[in-house]
Amino acid sequence: MMSYKYLLDIAIILLATKLLGMLTRKFQLPQVVGALLAGLILGPALLGVIEGGELLTQLSEMGVIVIMFSAGMGTDIQELKHSGKSGFLVALCGVLIPLAMGALLAFIFNRGEFAHPGSPLLQNIFIGVILTATSVSISVETLKELGKLSTRVGNTILAAALIDDVLGLICLTVVTSLGGDNVNIGLVLVKIVLFFAFAAAVGFAFVKFFNWYTTKKGNQDLRRWPVAAFVLCLLMSYCAEEFFGVADIIGAFSAGLIITLTPKAKYVESKFAPLSYLLLTPIFFANIGLKVVLPPMSLQIVLFAVLLVAAALLSKLVGCGIGARFSGFRGMQCVQVGCGMACRGEVALIVANKGMAMGLMPAAFFGPVIIMVVCCAVFTPILLKLSFRGEDAYSGLEGSALVDSYEAVEQMDIVAESVLEAEWERQYGDRVKHEWV
């Protein structure tokens, strides 16, 4: 007889992730930390209420595809082109230094009880790839609170975070493509180049067709566009894995970039938000927590976790600070840029999860990676506030299209919520008042 326990599991996960997400938000932490904690508490690591299973794993994989698709749609290609020298240098140094420091740390610990089948070199480099990712949302909120978002430092952090994600995904593409058995490096590189050529060709054809059809039909049948976009996302993800040996999330991100070039990009993006936050995103991050089985807390594992947190913070501080120095920043400004780029979040977790699935990361390293993400989320706003201590709020302000676009999205959310509340009040307010009377 068919079991319906999966319905109960999903209900518990959604409720727990929401409640803990609200709690962590009270402490100015991202809700993803709450979702992770929900998985850890409900899973084998603590209570063992939910064991996971194939359905949750498949929903989780769909979740990460939608997250990366949405990330692609949220990437402004024009701003990437115009972000300038400072954003590129900060991002480049902010990828290379963490990549090197993470690989060195893994080289020291990836032996003995942590030894894992496969190529030790690739496994070590993969830990560095995890450290390359930046989650800028916490930094942005902290800079807004300090009145420093629309400054040269704030603009550089926003621009570098965009480029940082792209460079980190390129590193992930190369490492995961090399992760199979009996790999021919030359063939792998050819496949990667062919994938990007394929993505460019598909993007050109899709945008041409999209523009032609939009011109012909106007705003009729708008619901077709999100369906067509999702089909593109799934097909690109499938082709990336099946034909080019590239991670499916790279295909999903590429599909998102293609959608940004169409006139209905914002509309399509808005339609994917409910699918993401109602079901797939909570399940993905909770499933990461469910997979964590805490190893015996030996001195070695504790030491690795502590050093991984230190390397994560220090590598961005040094790397992005050097990039800022080359870009013309001086003194404390370099420290501010480095602190603003130090936070890790969903991209680091996505990369770690992909590495676990492909055998590129020892299972014992998974717990310390989650500890690293949580600690970076906690320490980044503290470090940012310390780096700006003594400066006048709202001094050194300057215009930025990146800041404007970021704040425009927030304003759209506020306006949309207000419109929905007004419409509900108009339709049901009088009825509710009458019933109460």
Side-chain angles (χ1 to χ4, degrees), residues 411-421:
Q411 290 300 319
M412 285 172 64
D413 291 340
I414 294 170
V415 170
E417 186 175 345
S418 301
V419 169
L420 287 172
E421 288 177 355

Side-chain angles (χ1 to χ4, degrees), residues 114 150 155 166 171 184 266 276 288 318 333 377 400:
F114 292 138
S150 294
N155 294 339
V166 175
C171 293
N184 184 317
K266 292 300 179 185
S276 183
I288 289 178
V318 172
Q333 287 181 322
S400 166

Side-chain angles (χ1 to χ4, degrees), residues 3 8 12 16 19 172-173 185 240 255 259 273 277 295 309 314 324 332 342 385 392 425:
S3 172
L8 178 62
I12 293 172
L19 291 176
L172 175 65
T173 302
I185 296 178
I259 297 300
Y277 72 74
V309 172
L314 188 61
M332 189 55 67
K385 289 176 181 178
D392 295 332
E425 181 69 25

Side-chain angles (χ1 to χ4, degrees), residues 41 70 84 102 124 174 317 354:
I41 293 170
S70 300
N124 298 339
V174 175
L317 185 60
K354 180 59 66 176

Side-chain angles (χ1 to χ4, degrees), residues 312-322 334-339 342 383:
L313 293 169
L314 188 61
S315 61
K316 285 290 184 182
L317 185 60
V318 172
C320 295
I322 291 173
C334 298
V335 176
Q336 291 163 354
V337 171
C339 291
L383 293 173

